[in-house]
Amino acid sequence: MSPVPDASAGVGRDAGPAFDALADPVRRRILAVLSEHDECSAGDLADHITSVGRTAVSTHLRVLRVAGLITERRSGRYRYCSIEPGGAAADVIALLRSLFQSSLGEVAAAVEARPATDREDVTG
């Protein structure tokens, strides 16, 4: 079994706060809305997120911004949010990719190591 990548070394070095932010379903819903609309005002996001009030949406936006998952652009009295494609989001993706690629490699090796008759049962 291969070692688990250390989130504090290289890949995923800044992913800890991002994973903490992603643990909340409301914040994941905010990210889903932003992924569908590229950029939204805080008010538009609050209209899409009906499970909590506007104040709570603002609090969740702050957590996502501090974690490096979203950026905020101000225009007059409005705040427009969008997903931050680099930084913590890139670290989260890199960490998950390395974890899953390692696991998939181990699964492929295990399947190849099985006798051919057992592999036919697995593949159909």
Side-chain angles (χ1 to χ4, degrees):
M1 186 188 247
S2 64
V4 176
D6 180 2
S8 65
V11 173
R13 66 192 174 282
D14 297 327
F19 277 110
D20 290 343
L22 291 169
D24 187 279
V26 173
R27 292 192 282 266
R28 290 191 307 267
R29 176 70 184 128
I30 289 170
L31 290 171
V33 170
L34 288 173
S35 73
E36 295 167 0
H37 296 93
D38 293 330
E39 183 179 71
C40 287
S41 71
D44 287 342
L45 282 167
D47 291 342
H48 281 90
I49 310 299
T50 58
S51 59
V52 296
R54 288 181 174 272
T55 304
V57 169
S58 290
T59 300
H60 287 295
L61 288 172
R62 184 175 352 99
V63 171
L64 290 167
R65 191 180 71 251
V66 169
L69 293 170
I70 66 170
T71 60
E72 183 180 280
R73 177 180 65 84
R74 291 186 181 264
S75 179
R77 63 184 202 127
Y78 296 101
R79 295 181 302 145
Y80 294 92
C81 300
S82 59
I83 293 177
E84 171 60 58
D91 289 337
V92 167
I93 291 167
L95 178 61
L96 291 174
R97 182 178 292 131
S98 70
L99 290 172
F100 283 108
Q101 284 178 340
S102 172
S103 297
L104 290 174
E106 290 175 11
V107 169
V111 168
E112 292 300 319
R114 296 173 80 183
T117 55
D118 290 346
R119 280 187 272 164
E120 289 172 5
D121 292 340
V122 173
T123 59

